[in-house]
């Protein structure tokens, strides 16, 4: 009988994008603790080097831009890949009529196109022996919210992509799921939550009345990559404290 233990990912190779900070970093650390050979991808060398120091024997670092052809080429050269966490994403917060054309382009490029291209390359490596993919979604992939029209659009796309990939790749023994967090306490969200009115709004929307932590989200991601989730595909775990249940 399998369970969460230090041997859960022994012999398995997992690639995690956006691994330098926040949720991605928490995912990489937990995966390494559970025995995985982790390929941690980010653009900032210092972040990756400090991450690698937490588990030198288990974490390999790639300083790469996931939107680049070089990254895709490097991924395709892997001989083995058992799991992928697509964690890279951005947000451009503004009212609909204030969004710039370049905001639309960059949101689609990073939140949708890079995720699709990374997944496609990973599947090319995984198709020989199977694997699992986790796409980082958001509670905004299920609801709408003011000033987040572009973000909601891209995260709804992530949910659709996850379902379609889950169905198409199931015969190849490749599972695809998503994780949809609420607002997570990170350096990225800290400036937004310094606004007392906005923080009050957020906490009132979360029945559990608290923010998620990176570890909360990492736990769901690592579960979905593991054999504990062997019959789960094409769906989502919402780490949202009940926001979308209202």
């Amino acid at each position: 009988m399998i369970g969460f233990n230090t041997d859960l990912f022994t012999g398995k190779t997992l690639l995690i994008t956006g691994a330098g900070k926040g949720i991605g970093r928490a995912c990489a650390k937990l995966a390494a603790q559970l025995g995985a050979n982790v390929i941690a991808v980010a653009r900032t060398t210092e972040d990756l080097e400090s991450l690698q120091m937490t588990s030198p024997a288990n974490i390999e670092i790639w300083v790469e831009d996931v939107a680049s052809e070089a990254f895709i080429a490097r991924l395709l050269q892997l001989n083995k890949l058992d799991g992928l966490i697509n964690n890279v994403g951005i947000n451009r917060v503004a009212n609909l009529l204030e969004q710039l054309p370049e905001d639309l382009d960059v949101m689609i490029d990073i939140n949708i196109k890079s995720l699709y291209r990374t997944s496609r390359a990973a599947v090319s490596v995984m198709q020989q022996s199977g694997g699992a993919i986790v796409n980082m979604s958001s509670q905004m992939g299920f609801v709408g919210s003011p000033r987040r029209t572009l973000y909601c659009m891209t995260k709804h796309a992530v949910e659709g992509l996850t379902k379609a990939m889950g169905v198409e790749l199931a015969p190849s023994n490749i599972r695809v799921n998503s994780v949809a967090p609420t607002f997570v306490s990170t350096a990225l969200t800290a400036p937004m939550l310094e606004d007392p009115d906005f923080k009050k709004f957020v906490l009132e929307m979360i029945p559990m009345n608290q923010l998620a932590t990176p570890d909360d989200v990492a736990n769901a991601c690592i579960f979905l990559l593991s054999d504990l989730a062997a019959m789960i595909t094409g769906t989502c775990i919402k780490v949202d404290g009940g926001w979308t249940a209202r």
Side-chain angles (χ1 to χ4, degrees):
M1 183 175 181
I2 59 174
F4 276 107
N5 58 66
T6 55
D7 298 321
L8 188 59
F9 287 99
T10 297
K12 294 194 173 183
T13 298
L14 310 181
L15 189 146
I16 302 170
T17 66
K21 294 182 174 69
I23 293 169
R25 187 181 185 92
C27 288
K29 291 173 70 173
L30 179 57
Q33 289 168 12
L34 297 175
N37 299 312
V38 176
I39 301 172
V41 184
R43 292 183 298 177
T44 306
T45 303
E46 293 79 5
D47 289 340
L48 290 176
E49 288 178 344
S50 65
L51 169 64
Q52 188 177 44
M53 288 176 63
T54 67
S55 188
N58 291 74
I59 298 177
E60 175 184 352
I61 60 174
W62 287 11
V63 182
E64 298 282 357
D65 181 344
V66 299
S68 71
E69 294 298 331
F71 166 67
I72 296 300
R74 190 173 183 181
L75 200 168
L76 287 169
Q77 290 173 0
L78 291 174
N79 294 319
K80 172 183 170 62
L81 184 64
D82 301 290
L84 164 68
I85 299 177
N86 279 309
N87 178 60
V88 170
I90 63 168
N91 194 3
R92 296 288 173 87
V93 178
N95 292 326
L96 176 64
L97 296 179
E98 297 172 356
Q99 290 284 6
L100 302 174
E102 52 263 38
D103 292 338
L104 174 62
D105 292 338
V106 74
M107 291 282 284
I108 291 174
D109 285 346
I110 299 301
N111 289 6
I112 303 175
K113 288 172 68 174
S114 74
L115 183 151
Y116 173 86
R117 293 172 71 248
T118 301
S119 297
R120 190 170 185 270
V123 168
S124 295
V125 181
M126 290 179 180
Q127 60 186 350
Q128 299 301 320
S129 56
I133 296 173
V134 172
N135 295 323
M136 190 57 62
S137 182
S138 166
Q139 66 187 14
M140 297 303 171
F142 295 89
V143 298
S145 186
R147 295 172 56 79
R148 285 167 174 78
T149 302
L150 287 182
Y151 190 71
C152 290
M153 177 184 73
T154 61
K155 292 304 183 179
H156 276 72
V158 169
E159 288 302 322
L161 178 60
T162 298
K163 289 180 175 66
M165 289 175 61
V167 171
E168 180 174 342
L169 298 174
S172 299
N173 193 33
I174 298 173
R175 298 182 299 102
V176 186
N177 295 287
S178 66
V179 170
T182 186
F183 286 87
V184 181
S185 181
T186 66
L188 187 65
T189 60
M192 292 186 289
L193 295 166
E194 287 176 357
D195 180 344
D197 291 335
F198 181 72
K199 185 173 183 179
K200 180 175 182 291
F201 162 74
V202 168
L203 292 177
E204 286 178 348
M205 288 295 294
I206 302 173
M208 293 184 71
N209 197 238
Q210 64 189 45
L211 303 176
T213 68
D215 287 339
D216 292 329
V217 185
N219 287 338
C221 293
I222 296 304
F223 164 71
L224 287 172
L225 284 191
S226 78
D227 290 340
L228 296 172
M231 269 298 286
I232 302 176
T233 198
T235 192
C236 176
I237 291 181
K238 300 171 186 173
V239 187
D240 69 351
W243 184 305
T244 60
R246 289 187 179 276

